[in-house]
Amino acid sequence: MCSGGDEHSDPVEGLLTSVALVAAQDVPVIAEELRDQLRRIRQASDRLEVHFSRLASAFAATPEMEWQGCVSPIQWFRLECGMTASAAWKAICVGDQAHAIPESLDAVAEGKVGFAHLAVLAGTAQALRQTPTEAARF
C-alpha cells in the first residue's frame, strides 16, 4: 500500500483494496475482538453510506438521459448498484436532506447514530418540509 505508485490516485480503488483485505480476515473467536470489529466496521459502513447518499442525491438531480434508459434514478440504483427501491430512496433522501440535519450527520461520523437511524430522521425531515404549515412559512 505504501509502494509509492499511484494506486491511491483513486481513493475508491484504495477503499476496495482495503475492504478486500478486511473481508479476507478470519472471524475472531474472542468475543471482545468480535464486538470491536463489529462496531468499527459498522461505523465505517455508516460513514460510507452517508457519502453514498450525497452522491445518490446528486445523481438523482441529473438529467433523465444520465439514467441510461431507466425510468427513474431509483430504478438505475436497483439495476446498477444491486439495491432495493427502498434502500435507493433512503440514500437519495438522506443526501437531499443533509443540509437540514447536520447534527445527525455529525452523530453518524462520531459513531453515535447509525445510517438506518439517519435515514428515518431524513425521511421525517422531508415529510415535515412537505406539510402545508411548513410550506406556508416560505
Side-chain angles (χ1 to χ4, degrees):
M1 305 247 332
C2 297
S3 62
D6 67 29
E7 64 190 49
H8 292 293
S9 62
D10 178 4
V12 175
E13 198 57 43
L15 174 65
L16 291 170
T17 299
S18 294
V19 168
L21 290 171
V22 170
Q25 292 180 335
D26 290 336
V27 174
V29 294
I30 299 170
E32 183 179 358
E33 291 175 17
L34 282 167
R35 289 190 306 265
D36 179 59
Q37 282 195 28
L38 287 166
R39 285 185 196 110
R40 293 186 310 143
I41 289 172
R42 176 52 39 207
Q43 185 176 10
S45 296
D46 290 340
R47 291 177 78 178
L48 282 171
E49 287 285 357
V50 169
H51 183 64
F52 183 89
S53 293
R54 289 185 168 127
L55 297 171
S57 175
F59 181 75
T62 61
E64 197 172 323
M65 67 181 151
E66 298 299 329
W67 308 340
Q68 299 179 321
C70 293
V71 297
S72 70
I74 290 177
Q75 184 187 25
W76 187 89
F77 283 110
R78 288 181 57 241
L79 297 173
E80 297 297 324
C81 299
M83 300 174 75
T84 64
S86 175
W89 179 85
K90 288 175 185 176
I92 294 168
C93 182
V94 168
D96 286 349
Q97 297 301 315
H99 68 282
I101 54 173
E103 295 89 359
S104 299
L105 294 173
D106 291 344
V108 172
E110 295 166 10
K112 295 178 180 175
V113 173
F115 183 80
H117 292 108
L118 182 67
V120 171
L121 294 169
T124 302
Q126 182 180 53
L128 288 173
R129 290 190 187 314
Q130 294 172 348
T131 61
T133 54
E134 182 67 19
R137 291 179 48 183
F138 298 98

